[in-house]
Amino acid sequence: MLEELTMLEPFNSVYWHMLSQQYVNNDDYNNALQAIDYALAIDPKSTNMLVTKAQILYDMNQDREKARSMMREVLLEDPDNALANHTLAAMLALDGNTEGALAIIRNYLKEHPGDKEAIDHLLTIGNREVDNEELNRYFKSGALSTEQEWVAWADTFYQREQYQACADILLCRLYNTDSLFDWTQLLESLYRCGRYSEVVELYRKYVLRVRDISGLSLSLPDALIMVLSLLREGYQNAAKELADFIVNYNISDINPYEKRLVAIGVQSVLRNILEAIDSSHDVPLSSIDPFA
């Protein structure tokens, strides 16, 4: 269809650009490059088309230096161009130049702190000090206003098993509002990253300091993660106290039945942990940890 449109209107640069992008989607980079060259012959100053050509050259591994140079030229003319900033940063990160990628994104974020795609790039690179600083600036920008939006954003990383980014997004929301309606993804992500001390800190700050933990919306699997983290950090007595509480918790009213089955499983794991603690042996976490 696009090929026919370019034949009907051969001087329409938009059709050639769309055709090039479709060739890219089909991994046909040679035809994609030819189509974008036609588009640029018609509209040589189009920044979006220059970005597309640079991406094609980069993905073809034909001339990556030229691709990066094209992006820098676009940014000299249009430093606020979001697509060019994101593309150059991605190229540098893929080349292993994470410092260069961070510099590009942070410079862009100075003027555009509410650009979520730029924050996504930072989180993918994974410099936690930078991530936390920019996440806090992003929060203050008000780009995302509701907790549901933050949780949905974190979930995009959770689904890709990028647990560090997921945890940092949710921690930013939690520490800026002092509330979180669902702890499971946060606690699991921290645990899977080996950030056990942060789970312990959350336990101290949000569980031990309240009289009624029912208002925290913690699930039994959340409590299990806290017990496991306490053990990994050497707080055996605190782990035993929490495990005792969960094992003796009446789960008969938990519905639907699928959640009750999960609760039964959690209590079973915790009974094994309590048995190991009471026998004065080291708790065999490697064999009973459901996240191992």
Side-chain angles (χ1 to χ4, degrees), residues 13-287:
S13 62
V14 174
Y15 289 155
W16 284 107
H17 189 197
M18 292 172 65
L19 178 60
S20 175
Q21 292 173 315
Q22 188 55 51
Y23 279 135
V24 168
N25 291 338
N26 292 336
D27 297 324
D28 186 350
Y29 292 103
N30 289 321
N31 276 324
L33 186 59
Q34 186 178 47
I36 200 63
D37 279 339
Y38 276 120
L40 285 167
I42 299 165
D43 187 2
K45 294 187 177 180
S46 169
T47 54
N48 285 342
M49 294 177 191
L50 286 168
V51 170
T52 296
K53 180 170 182 178
Q55 289 175 319
I56 292 168
L57 290 173
Y58 187 88
D59 290 341
M60 291 176 74
N61 203 20
Q62 181 169 317
D63 195 338
R64 289 191 164 185
E65 183 53 45
K66 182 179 179 181
R68 291 189 293 269
S69 178
M70 288 174 66
M71 288 300 89
R72 291 190 175 96
E73 289 174 11
V74 169
L75 290 174
L76 284 174
E77 295 292 325
D78 185 8
D80 289 328
N81 187 297
L83 182 59
N85 275 284
H86 298 161
T87 301
L88 179 57
M91 289 176 176
L92 293 171
L94 288 170
D95 288 338
N97 184 1
T98 56
E99 292 300 317
L102 288 172
I104 292 290
I105 301 171
R106 298 200 78 185
N107 184 62
Y108 173 76
L109 282 169
K110 288 177 183 177
E111 301 297 328
H112 308 277
D115 189 320
K116 186 163 76 69
E117 187 174 348
I119 304 293
D120 282 343
H121 280 297
L122 281 182
L123 293 169
T124 300
I125 293 171
N127 183 310
R128 288 201 59 222
E129 182 179 350
V130 172
D131 292 348
N132 291 333
E133 183 178 336
E134 295 296 345
L135 276 168
N136 281 313
R137 291 182 68 228
Y138 181 72
F139 180 87
K140 291 171 185 175
S141 77
L144 294 181
S145 58
T146 68
E147 185 169 333
Q148 287 83 355
E149 289 176 311
W150 279 80
V151 170
W153 181 25
D155 187 60
T156 63
F157 287 95
Y158 179 86
Q159 296 301 329
R160 299 196 296 267
E161 298 184 1
Q162 295 175 336
Y163 298 116
Q164 179 164 288
C166 176
D168 287 337
I169 290 170
L170 294 174
L171 282 175
C172 176
R173 171 73 192 185
L174 173 62
Y175 288 145
N176 277 284
T177 64
D178 215 33
S179 68
L180 196 65
F181 71 80
D182 188 346
W183 289 75
T184 300
Q185 281 191 345
L186 171 58
L187 295 173
E188 182 185 340
S189 295
L190 287 171
Y191 193 81
R192 288 186 183 277
C193 291
R195 292 161 61 176
Y196 312 122
S197 63
E198 291 177 74
V199 176
V200 171
E201 180 61 26
L202 290 173
Y203 173 69
R204 287 172 171 165
K205 185 174 182 179
Y206 292 98
V207 177
L208 293 184
R209 295 183 184 180
V210 298
R211 292 182 178 180
D212 182 9
I213 64 171
S214 62
L216 295 178
S217 301
L218 290 170
S219 67
L220 292 191
D222 296 340
L224 171 60
I225 291 173
M226 289 180 173
V227 170
L228 292 169
S229 297
L230 286 164
L231 286 172
R232 289 188 181 278
E233 289 296 299
Y235 300 107
Q236 194 169 94
N237 290 336
K240 184 178 186 301
E241 184 178 342
L242 181 56
D244 273 328
F245 175 78
I246 300 302
V247 164
N248 292 302
Y249 184 82
N250 183 4
I251 65 172
S252 61
D253 293 331
I254 294 179
N255 292 299
Y257 193 66
E258 289 78 6
K259 286 189 177 181
R260 199 182 311 172
L261 288 174
V262 171
I264 291 170
V266 167
Q267 289 185 329
S268 176
V269 172
L270 290 175
R271 286 192 187 93
N272 290 335
I273 290 174
L274 287 171
E275 184 179 341
I277 292 174
D278 291 337
S279 64
S280 299
H281 296 145
D282 291 334
V283 181
L285 286 177
S286 59
S287 61

